[in-house]
Amino acid sequence: ISMSLFTSCQRTEHVVAEEKNLPAKTLRDVSYGEDTAQRMDIFLPANRSTDSTKSVILIHGGGWNSGSKNDFASYIDSFKMRMPGYAVFNINYRLVNGGNLFPTQERDVKAAIDFIVENMDFFSIKYSKTIGINIFLPFLEKEIIEFSKKIPLEAKISTYNGMTFGK
């Protein structure tokens, strides 16, 4: 399984004006929880602002059993090139095979999203209550739809075969 979440708050013109000349920034292994697996890499575009900079949140596949944010490492430059105005958040979560029973993984994804939302001003990115989730394995569609109901945002879910569900 592999998922991507898209997010996109209005701010005053004064604050937005201060943000316009921000350089691109990469933050590696930023903690969103106490466990060493609760880390994310953050790629912030140049000239970002809370007025216009949207986000994509990458959640690696592996059926909660395996995988790592490093699975997306070779695609980050492509994401940044194809979506130059987007901030990219590439998250890790605690795996089942590390002794963390389900729904620990769901809670970690929610905690990562909460961390991003709580720090959007710090990152100088835009907030929206809408996210998109891309699913590549059909047998997990039902689980992902149920999971989307647990996060504090509205979700539009697209599957590998083009089916779309909404909350």
Side-chain angles (χ1 to χ4, degrees):
I1 179 172
S2 180
M3 296 189 304
S4 301
L5 304 178
F6 295 88
T7 70
S8 97
C9 183
Q10 299 295 329
R11 299 247 322 241
T12 65
E13 289 181 31
H14 173 72
V15 174
V16 172
E18 291 175 6
E19 298 170 334
K20 291 211 185 250
N21 295 317
L22 292 172
K25 191 172 191 177
T26 298
L27 304 167
R28 301 251 185 218
D29 291 320
V30 174
S31 174
Y32 67 87
E34 295 180 11
D35 193 278
T36 57
Q38 294 171 303
R39 301 284 186 263
M40 67 176 73
D41 293 340
I42 303 169
F43 305 90
L44 302 170
N47 304 315
R48 65 193 174 277
S49 78
T50 55
D51 184 50
S52 62
T53 304
K54 296 179 182 178
S55 303
V56 59
I57 303 170
L58 306 176
I59 305 169
H60 68 81
W64 307 129
N65 288 308
S66 64
S68 162
K69 63 184 171 63
N70 295 330
D71 296 347
F72 282 119
S74 62
Y75 300 101
I76 296 298
D77 286 339
S78 179
F79 274 110
K80 292 186 330 187
M81 183 178 69
R82 293 171 188 243
M83 299 182 299
Y86 278 75
V88 177
F89 296 86
N90 187 13
I91 73 167
N92 259 352
Y93 51 82
R94 292 174 286 178
L95 300 173
V96 170
N97 67 5
N100 301 291
L101 299 178
F102 183 82
T104 299
Q105 299 71 31
E106 274 187 2
R107 291 182 189 132
D108 283 0
V109 171
K110 183 183 180 306
I113 293 169
D114 288 346
F115 174 84
I116 294 165
V117 169
E118 290 165 7
N119 289 285
M120 287 194 161
D121 283 340
F122 175 77
F123 298 133
S124 297
I125 57 176
K126 185 175 182 173
Y127 174 74
S128 171
K129 291 187 87 171
T130 303
I131 60 172
I133 302 173
N134 294 317
I135 305 168
F136 299 107
L137 295 178
F139 60 87
L140 288 177
E141 288 174 10
K142 180 181 173 195
E143 289 80 359
I144 298 302
I145 291 166
E146 289 304 310
F147 168 70
S148 73
K149 295 175 184 175
K150 298 176 184 179
I151 57 178
L153 306 167
E154 297 173 19
K156 181 178 181 181
I157 303 167
S158 300
T159 65
Y160 79 104
N161 60 3
M163 296 176 64
T164 300
F165 304 87
K167 237 169 101 160

